[in-house]
Amino acid sequence: MSVRKILVPLAGRPEDDEVLSTALSVARAFKAQLVGLFARPDPSEALPYLGDGVSGQVIEDLMQAAREGADDACARVRAALEKTASAAGVAIAKEGGKAEMPSARFLDVTGRRDEIIAKHSRLSDLIVFGESPTGIAGGTALEAAMLSADRPVLIAPKKAWDPVGGTVCIGWDDSPEASSAVMMAIPFLEKAKKVMILCIGGKELDPGPGSTLADYLALHGVTADVHLVDGQGKADGEVLLEQAEQAKADLLVMGGYGHSRIREFLMGGTTQHVRSHATIPVLMAH
């Protein structure tokens, strides 16, 4: 797998600059194109919720205000993309012209945000999300990209990261989700200077699965050290972040949603914990 198209959903918030800076550092590393996606809400979709007693003039005023708000947010997104790309020395791709690599492109699409992001994720190699207003990285759009579109996502915490993937930690539990994340992360692992495989369990943790992964990565030219970590009863997500931070990693690779989203939301889980508390970039796949 190669990384050639990086999708970055944007909303016109102050955090966009840092997310874009992180995504552009990845685009430069892989000579990829970054696509800044603005999902413009369709005001007409709110009409059924206004009720029958609302006058036509009030409806028109509300729709006009919604259009103007979307126009303002769109302008902020475009300006942030152009400013950040210029500072990073990345060219803005011209419509109809031959795309330079790396490059950046702006996309303005009207519709429901989660549906638009899922649709455009299907033909993207990586989707980069920052923290949402709820404090959960990516919000429901991240789930749409990872679960509906089956694409890897990169969580970019509140900081401009450059590089991403110099030191990589892999959270490994021999699950299908973790395997998928490793497959998707191969381009990062091949470039990394240091790779650590973190296997979390009790004192009698089996070293076999970690060694099997290390042998597989060696076939890709990746040298990885296996670390057996006694979680001491702590939640796996907490231990993964602690270990990655201690290793001064700038990328954590892990599977996402080994349990259903409803169970993760109601009872907590590794995915939900990492999405809420990540302080370094995290590549997740399902």
Side-chain angles (χ1 to χ4, degrees), residues 208-221:
S211 297
T212 301
L213 175 57
D215 291 343
Y216 170 76
L217 292 177
L219 297 176
H220 285 270

Side-chain angles (χ1 to χ4, degrees), residues 16-49:
D16 286 352
D17 288 354
E18 293 170 340
V19 174
L20 281 167
S21 293
T22 299
L24 282 165
S25 75
V26 178
R28 288 199 310 270
F30 292 108
K31 293 182 171 55
Q33 183 174 90
L34 182 153
V35 177
L37 173 64
F38 177 69
R40 179 186 293 269
D42 184 351
S44 65
E45 292 186 353
L47 293 180
Y49 302 99

Side-chain angles (χ1 to χ4, degrees), residues 220-232:
H220 285 270
V222 177
T223 300
D225 298 323
V226 180
H227 292 251
L228 305 181
V229 182
D230 182 357
Q232 299 180 338

Side-chain angles (χ1 to χ4, degrees), residues 37-41 107-111 116 119-120:
L37 173 64
F38 177 69
R40 179 186 293 269
L107 194 58
D108 178 1
V109 183
T110 299
I116 288 172
K119 178 181 177 181
H120 286 271

Side-chain angles (χ1 to χ4, degrees), residues 147-219:
L147 301 178
S148 298
D150 195 25
R151 305 310 300 147
V153 301
L154 180 70
I155 296 171
K158 288 184 178 179
K159 177 182 172 181
W161 288 85
D162 186 11
V164 174
T167 298
V168 182
C169 286
I170 302 172
W172 183 247
D173 59 3
D174 206 21
S175 67
E177 294 78 19
S179 299
S180 179
V182 169
M183 297 299 109
M184 301 293 188
I186 288 294
F188 287 91
L189 299 174
E190 289 176 336
K191 286 180 174 290
K193 295 179 180 178
K194 182 178 181 181
V195 177
M196 298 170 56
I197 299 169
L198 304 176
C199 301
I200 301 170
K203 294 181 179 179
E204 304 301 323
L205 187 61
D206 180 8
S211 297
T212 301
L213 175 57
D215 291 343
Y216 170 76
L217 292 177
L219 297 176

